[in-house]
Amino acid sequence: MGTDGHDCAQLRALAALLAADRVDAALEAGLMEVHAEAGACAPCVEAWAQVSAAQQRLRFAWAARERYRAREARLARRAAERQARRIKPAATPSPQAPALPPAVAAALARAKARAAGTPRT
């Protein structure tokens, strides 16, 4: 343990993994769980700087990934809504015209006869 309560060995091991570009291994070793103070013991200052910078980069990258996924979901939802509006179910046309009520049929027949110029009977 360091003088301020952090684990010097873990901090140095994480810094070594990060220096070797083994981020996955550093994550498995607890990279995001390390919460050493900025005033780490003198031998750990450089290691803490590396760990802290890596934590910040990962948090930023994960937040960006979440924003991207949310945007993709929002765009997909909008596209589906737009597609649904474009393809409305067409009313099925009936093969025969609906029958008119008898009074309307008689009025239509009189109007057609008047238009044709035939006398009323």
Side-chain angles (χ1 to χ4, degrees):
M1 280 283 185
T3 57
D4 63 352
H6 69 274
D7 185 359
C8 291
Q10 182 188 19
L11 202 56
R12 289 181 185 156
L14 289 171
L17 288 171
L18 292 170
D21 201 27
R22 296 185 57 206
V23 179
D24 290 335
L27 284 169
E28 290 174 8
L31 173 64
M32 300 310 285
E33 288 79 30
V34 173
H35 297 292
E37 296 298 319
C41 64
C44 296
V45 171
E46 187 177 327
W48 169 243
Q50 287 179 318
V51 168
S52 178
Q55 287 175 336
Q56 189 175 16
R57 282 191 310 270
L58 285 170
R59 285 187 187 108
F60 183 78
W62 291 338
R65 180 177 58 193
E66 286 305 311
R67 288 190 306 271
Y68 176 79
R69 287 178 177 169
R71 179 179 180 270
E72 288 298 311
R74 187 175 61 249
L75 291 176
R77 187 188 74 242
R78 285 182 182 172
E81 290 170 356
R82 193 171 33 251
Q83 187 67 17
R85 283 192 306 264
R86 282 187 195 147
I87 304 175
K88 289 197 176 188
T92 55
S94 59
Q96 57 186 351
L100 295 174
V104 175
L108 182 60
R110 286 192 301 271
K112 284 184 179 181
R114 211 174 307 136
T118 56
R120 246 203 266 177
T121 53

